[in-house]
Structures are given as structure tokens and as C-alpha cells.
Amino acid sequence: MKKILLIFLCFTFSVTIFSQTEISEENLSIEIKKTRKIGAFSIQWQGYHGNILPGKGQKRVQLRIRAKSIDGEKTPFDPNKLYFINDEYEARFAVTEANYARALETNIFIRLRDKESEKSAYGAGYDPSVPNTLLDYPYKKYQDVMLTLNFGTKRRPNIHTLYFKPNDINDNPLDFYFVLPKDIKEGRVYYGDTFIQDINFR
């Protein structure tokens, strides 16, 4: 069933049709519920790790989905498999924040880093048994844009990539955030190799 969401902004309105996508091999059903640009004065629950703020010339956008297991049993959801494609930049953007949408939800998506380090940032641990599965789904020759931190110096960088540990879901609203160049207004969302939907941000 398709649902229609009316968005009124800046004296204009647009109609966005959200549809449900089933991924049988993952035992998942994904439905995009909301997309929006996060304003500078937006009030929101910060989740376990806090917000990743955009830099100059960037913006932070939110994607809210409803993720369900098809058979009704708990099934893994992997935030690293969810990504945003933009053709103008020929880039694939990884999730920078992953939260359960309910403020009182006790489950969390744990943030990990891809290398060991004596320093800690954003609560990111190290677990080599959990791969960054984004890398399993290359898209054409597009550049991968992921959340990275330099634990070294400008002269001697020590770059770490941050990603997320999957978590079991049953029927949950989930919030995901991307940091994008300000002029990006549209693109496509995928989960693994599966196309989910075209989306746009005002």
C-alpha cells in the first residue's frame, strides 16, 4: 500500500509517495516514512552517540524508515547497508548516525571504528569480527563518502572509518542521518543491492 505525505514548506508544497520494499533474502521490509533537512535550530533526541554536525558547505539530513521482519521474528538490521546515491557528485554517502526513533527505546546501534586506537571518539569501539558491509556493495565507480576521523596529525594522518554494529529488529521506526553537500537535493536510497526509493530534500 502506498501512502501520500503532504509537505508544506516555503509557501510551496510537494507530494511524496512512499512505498514498502520487501527484501526476502534479508527477511526485511523497509518503508521510508520521512525525509527532511535538519535545520540549525531543530530540537531532537541526540541518541546514544550525539550528533555529527555538518561542516562548511554541508547539510545534515534525516531519513526515517519503518523496518519490519517479514516473518514476524527478530531479524538483523545493518545500518552499513543503507546508503544514499547522488549522480551529480558520482558519490555514495554512508550513514553518519543511526538511532531508534523512539526516545525511550533501550536498544542502540553501537558505533565501531575500523582500526585499533588508544584514543576514543564518539564512543566508537573496535570489533574486527563485525565488518563494514557497505564495502560489499560497490556502486559503479562512485566515490564512497564515509564518516572518518584523523587520530594522527595533518602531516602524519592516522585515518579511521566509523561504522555501525547491526542490531536485531522486529517492527521499529529508525532514524538515519547523512551529511551531504548543501546543493544536493535528490538522490536514491539503497539497502545492500536493493533499490529502496528516490528521495529529495528541500
Side-chain angles (χ1 to χ4, degrees):
M1 176 182 293
K2 294 184 177 180
K3 297 183 179 180
I4 297 178
L5 174 68
L6 297 180
I7 303 172
F8 186 80
L9 184 65
C10 298
F11 306 104
T12 65
F13 71 91
S14 63
V15 178
T16 304
I17 299 176
F18 294 146
S19 61
Q20 184 174 293
T21 301
E22 288 196 352
I23 311 172
S24 57
E25 63 272 20
E26 301 273 0
N27 189 32
L28 274 178
S29 168
I30 296 175
E31 181 183 7
I32 295 179
K33 305 295 288 185
K34 178 171 66 175
T35 62
R36 64 169 180 153
K37 174 185 173 183
I38 303 298
F41 300 103
S42 175
I43 299 175
Q44 57 193 299
W45 179 57
Q46 290 190 346
Y48 181 69
H49 300 293
N51 297 338
I52 303 297
L53 300 178
K56 186 177 180 180
Q58 298 176 328
K59 63 183 176 183
R60 181 168 168 259
V61 299
Q62 177 191 14
L63 176 70
R64 175 167 290 179
I65 72 169
R66 183 183 181 188
K68 295 177 60 178
S69 68
I70 295 173
D71 64 8
E73 300 293 327
K74 284 190 175 293
T75 193
F77 187 94
D78 186 350
N80 309 296
K81 292 183 180 180
L82 191 75
Y83 54 90
F84 176 82
I85 294 287
N86 179 263
D87 293 324
E88 181 182 358
Y89 277 82
E90 296 188 352
R92 179 171 70 148
F93 295 87
V95 168
T96 58
E97 299 165 65
N99 295 322
Y100 283 75
R102 298 189 184 102
L104 298 180
E105 178 64 65
T106 57
N107 291 327
I108 60 172
F109 288 106
I110 296 173
R111 185 174 277 143
L112 300 174
R113 58 179 183 266
D114 64 347
K115 300 174 186 175
E116 287 189 280
S117 173
E118 295 178 356
K119 298 179 181 179
S120 176
Y122 297 106
Y126 176 67
D127 187 348
S129 70
V130 180
N132 183 357
T133 49
L134 175 74
L135 304 176
D136 296 337
Y137 302 94
Y139 187 86
K140 299 181 179 179
K141 294 184 178 180
Y142 282 22
Q143 175 188 1
D144 285 338
V145 181
M146 295 180 278
L147 179 59
T148 59
L149 292 174
N150 183 6
F151 285 99
T153 63
K154 187 174 182 180
R155 187 173 181 181
R156 294 185 177 180
N158 182 13
I159 304 297
H160 292 242
T161 298
L162 304 189
Y163 62 105
F164 297 92
K165 184 176 182 178
N167 209 354
D168 287 342
I169 59 97
N170 187 349
D171 183 356
N172 299 91
L174 304 172
D175 283 338
F176 300 97
Y177 297 85
F178 301 87
V179 173
L180 308 174
K182 275 188 175 180
D183 59 343
I184 286 183
K185 295 182 178 179
E186 60 185 12
R188 299 185 299 282
V189 174
Y190 282 79
Y191 186 86
D193 286 328
T194 302
F195 167 74
I196 302 300
Q197 189 172 306
D198 293 308
I199 61 173
N200 61 76
F201 303 101
R202 287 290 182 183

